[in-house]
Amino acid sequence: KPMRTGPLPPSLTLAPDRSLPPLRLGAELQAVVRRSSEGRLLLELASGHLLSPRSRVPLRAGDQLQLRVAQLQPVTVLQILSTRRPEQPLQAGLRALLGSDGSRTNLAAGLSQLLDLAATAPPPLRALLAAVAAQVRRPEQLADPRELAAALRDSGLFLEARLLGQPQERPEQDFKAQLLRLLAQLQTAPAGGKVAAEETATSRGQLSRLAEGAGRLLARLETLQLHAASSQDLDLLFELPLQGQAGPESLQLRIQRERQGEAETETVGSGGLLVRLRFNFAEDAMGAALHWCGSGVSVYWWAERAATAARLQAALPQLVERLQALGLEVRELHCFEAEPPAVDELPVLQMQGLIDERA
């Protein structure tokens, strides 16, 4: 029978070298591609040995190789059985968050659950929980531009950027920094000391619930940060917890840069800035969308309840006057009695390739 031939697997060649580790024909090896300071290709074996192969195969630093020793004489040949590219930081971060349901839970809802446990928390934790509770604002506070700017600055989305850009300033009011301090304290908090075993078990259970709640909040914050980092253009989603007269409420505010041709209406023009918000009240919901391109704006409002929609409709002339006073041309202005559209759709949570099917 004629011999069947096919393409040979890509391979690496090792020149004779007494420093080579002992290799056995047919043995399979695992290696990571490295680069020397001079840019020379290196292979780091699981044993720690470094090899200097010759190859025309395009390899990148960090690639993980599965190799087979195909030849030992006169030169050593290593066949490449498989190559895995190094995981991107974004995918690694998302994979770490997959195990937490907090990544998909509104910050306001998660914070409300955490603060329900604060009243009976051990005294050493109460100051930290009080700092976290200070993130909850009244709706009227956000009507002040300075209060709104402070709320966005301390939302937790910018913690690392602030530490990098202003290392001399400690972001004491930053939400993420407060959560990290709380979690660090929870990890070192004594469970009971010299108390009865039953009380110790209760204390441990409470500390565990507090840690789980803080962990869910941190997972959501980091999901919002990864969403912003993965976007090609400006796309920030802020979730601000509020305390209304009827109970916990929240404001979701999303700021996006629209690309050319992505504006929802032709009158807005091509590109620009899109600002969307949604107020989630105890018994109602209200939303808005503002398209800003050049000197023109278009504004749309939604309200679930007829009474709220009527109040918004009556306030539209005053809104037009304020926008015109800022030098803006009001192109469209509408108010709808309907459920406001969601603003928290995050494509980052639908990314493909986060699960390794071979695992």
Side-chain angles (χ1 to χ4, degrees):
K1 293 182 179 180
M3 181 180 297
R4 293 185 178 181
T5 61
L8 294 175
S11 60
L12 306 169
T13 302
L14 300 176
D17 188 342
R18 293 183 179 180
S19 64
L20 284 177
L23 299 175
R24 179 172 51 84
L25 192 65
E28 294 192 3
L29 310 171
Q30 293 179 340
V32 178
V33 178
R34 306 294 187 195
R35 290 284 178 180
S36 68
S37 57
E38 298 83 17
R40 188 162 47 90
L41 179 68
L42 298 174
L43 289 183
E44 182 180 359
L45 300 181
S47 61
H49 288 93
L50 286 176
L51 309 180
S52 299
R54 296 193 298 269
S55 173
R56 295 183 179 179
V57 180
L59 296 172
R60 296 186 299 188
D63 285 354
Q64 301 173 17
L65 307 181
Q66 183 76 18
L67 307 169
R68 177 185 292 132
V69 180
Q71 179 179 307
L72 292 174
Q73 295 295 336
V75 295
T76 301
V77 176
L78 303 178
Q79 289 181 340
I80 301 176
L81 302 180
S82 66
T83 304
R84 291 187 62 180
R85 298 297 183 191
E87 190 170 48
Q88 297 299 312
L90 174 62
Q91 291 183 317
L94 285 172
R95 195 187 305 279
L97 295 173
L98 282 177
S100 173
D101 58 355
S103 61
R104 300 175 184 272
T105 302
N106 185 302
L107 277 178
L111 182 57
S112 177
Q113 296 169 5
L114 178 68
L115 296 181
D116 285 343
L117 302 171
T120 56
L125 297 174
R126 290 177 188 170
L128 291 171
L129 286 166
V132 172
Q135 294 291 333
V136 181
R137 292 170 169 83
R138 300 186 307 277
E140 57 268 24
Q141 286 181 278
L142 299 185
D144 183 336
R146 291 173 296 182
E147 285 280 352
L148 178 58
L152 299 183
R153 181 196 64 208
D154 295 331
S155 64
L157 267 64
F158 308 117
L159 174 61
E160 290 78 6
R162 293 173 68 184
L163 291 173
L164 183 63
Q166 300 173 317
Q168 70 282 3
E169 296 185 13
R170 295 187 62 184
E172 298 288 348
Q173 308 303 318
D174 186 271
F175 190 20
K176 185 176 181 181
Q178 292 171 342
L179 288 174
L180 290 170
R181 284 193 288 267
L182 176 59
L183 281 167
Q185 182 65 31
L186 284 166
Q187 291 171 356
T188 59
K194 297 180 180 180
V195 297
E198 185 176 326
E199 294 180 359
T200 301
T202 302
S203 177
R204 285 175 177 165
Q206 186 180 44
L207 292 177
S208 176
R209 289 190 295 273
L210 284 169
E212 289 174 3
R216 284 194 294 269
L217 285 169
L218 188 61
R220 178 60 175 180
L221 265 178
E222 291 183 342
T223 299
L224 298 181
Q225 288 182 303
L226 288 171
H227 161 73
S230 68
S231 302
Q232 294 183 354
D233 292 301
L234 174 70
D235 191 349
L236 299 172
L237 174 60
F238 301 91
E239 294 183 333
L240 305 179
L242 303 174
Q243 180 60 46
Q245 296 180 350
E249 300 173 348
S250 70
L251 167 64
Q252 293 175 305
L253 173 64
R254 190 159 183 175
I255 303 173
Q256 297 170 274
R257 177 74 63 186
E258 290 186 307
R259 294 185 183 182
Q260 295 290 324
E262 285 189 354
E264 290 186 7
T265 61
E266 294 182 0
T267 57
V268 177
S270 298
L273 197 67
L274 171 63
V275 180
R276 295 185 288 158
L277 61 84
R278 178 178 171 124
F279 282 102
N280 298 296
F281 302 122
E283 298 179 353
D284 195 6
M286 186 174 70
L290 180 146
H291 296 265
W292 181 9
C293 184
S295 60
V297 294
S298 295
V299 185
Y300 309 87
W301 288 93
W302 291 266
E304 276 187 327
R305 300 177 65 178
T308 306
R311 292 177 64 184
L312 287 172
Q313 187 70 43
L316 292 186
Q318 184 180 7
L319 177 60
V320 171
E321 292 179 1
R322 292 188 176 184
L323 292 173
Q324 289 176 340
L326 295 173
L328 297 173
E329 174 193 353
V330 180
R331 293 172 174 169
E332 289 194 23
L333 189 60
H334 300 287
C335 181
F336 306 99
E337 181 187 337
E339 180 181 358
V343 302
D344 59 352
E345 67 282 357
L346 299 180
V348 73
L349 291 176
Q350 281 78 49
M351 285 184 62
Q352 301 296 316
L354 292 179
I355 302 298
D356 188 347
E357 297 83 358
R358 295 172 294 180

Coordinates of all heavy atoms in Angstrom, one line a residue, residues 1 28 41 48 58 61 70 112 156 166 171 200 212 255 281 295-296 307:
K1 N 0.8 -1.2 0.0 CA 0.0 0.0 0.0 C 0.9 1.2 0.0 O 1.9 1.3 0.7 CB -0.9 0.0 1.2 CG -1.9 -1.1 1.3 CD -2.8 -1.0 2.5 CE -3.8 -2.0 2.5 NZ -4.7 -1.9 3.7
E28 N 6.3 14.0 26.0 CA 5.5 15.2 25.8 C 5.9 16.2 26.9 O 6.1 15.9 28.1 CB 4.0 15.0 25.8 CG 3.6 14.1 24.6 CD 2.1 14.1 24.5 OE1 1.4 14.8 25.2 OE2 1.6 13.4 23.6
L41 N 14.1 34.2 21.1 CA 13.1 33.3 21.5 C 13.6 32.3 22.5 O 14.7 31.7 22.3 CB 12.6 32.5 20.2 CG 11.5 31.4 20.5 CD1 10.2 32.1 20.9 CD2 11.3 30.6 19.2
G48 N 11.6 24.4 34.7 CA 12.3 25.6 34.9 C 13.5 25.8 34.0 O 14.1 26.9 33.9
P58 N 5.5 31.4 13.9 CA 5.2 32.6 14.6 C 4.7 32.4 16.1 O 3.7 31.8 16.2 CB 4.2 33.3 13.8 CG 3.5 32.2 13.0 CD 4.5 31.2 12.8
A61 N 5.3 35.9 23.0 CA 5.6 35.7 24.5 C 4.3 35.4 25.2 O 3.3 36.1 25.1 CB 6.3 36.9 25.0
A70 N 10.4 14.6 19.0 CA 10.2 13.8 17.7 C 11.6 13.3 17.3 O 11.6 12.3 16.5 CB 9.6 14.7 16.6
S112 N -28.4 47.8 49.7 CA -29.6 47.7 50.6 C -29.5 46.4 51.4 O -29.8 46.4 52.7 CB -30.9 47.8 49.9 OG -32.0 47.7 50.7
G156 N -16.6 54.6 42.6 CA -15.8 53.4 42.6 C -15.2 53.1 41.2 O -14.3 52.3 41.1
Q166 N -3.2 60.6 41.2 CA -3.0 61.5 42.3 C -2.6 60.6 43.5 O -3.4 60.4 44.5 CB -4.3 62.2 42.7 CG -4.7 63.1 41.5 CD -6.1 63.7 41.8 OE1 -7.0 63.1 42.3 NE2 -6.2 65.0 41.5
P171 N -8.3 58.4 48.5 CA -9.7 58.6 48.1 C -10.6 58.0 49.2 O -11.2 56.9 49.0 CB -9.9 57.8 46.8 CG -8.8 56.8 46.9 CD -7.6 57.4 47.7
T200 N -20.5 32.5 69.4 CA -19.4 32.5 68.4 C -19.9 32.0 67.0 O -19.6 32.7 66.0 CB -18.3 31.6 68.8 OG1 -17.8 32.0 70.1 CG2 -17.1 31.6 67.8
E212 N -20.0 38.2 52.2 CA -20.7 37.8 51.0 C -21.4 39.0 50.3 O -21.3 39.3 49.1 CB -21.7 36.7 51.2 CG -21.1 35.4 51.5 CD -22.2 34.3 51.9 OE1 -23.4 34.7 51.8 OE2 -21.8 33.2 52.3
I255 N -23.4 57.2 30.2 CA -22.8 58.3 29.4 C -22.0 57.6 28.3 O -21.1 56.8 28.5 CB -21.9 59.2 30.1 CG1 -22.7 59.9 31.3 CG2 -21.3 60.3 29.2 CD1 -21.8 60.7 32.2
F281 N -37.8 54.1 41.4 CA -38.5 54.5 42.6 C -39.2 53.3 43.2 O -39.3 52.2 42.6 CB -39.5 55.6 42.4 CG -38.8 56.9 41.8 CD1 -39.3 57.4 40.6 CD2 -37.8 57.5 42.5 CE1 -38.7 58.5 40.1 CE2 -37.2 58.6 41.9 CZ -37.6 59.1 40.7
S295 N -24.2 71.9 18.7 CA -25.0 72.8 19.5 C -26.4 72.4 19.6 O -27.2 73.1 20.2 CB -24.9 74.2 18.9 OG -25.5 74.2 17.6
G296 N -26.7 71.2 19.2 CA -28.1 70.7 19.2 C -28.3 69.6 20.2 O -27.4 68.7 20.4
A307 N -49.7 60.3 36.2 CA -49.5 61.6 37.0 C -48.0 62.1 36.8 O -47.8 63.3 36.6 CB -49.8 61.3 38.5

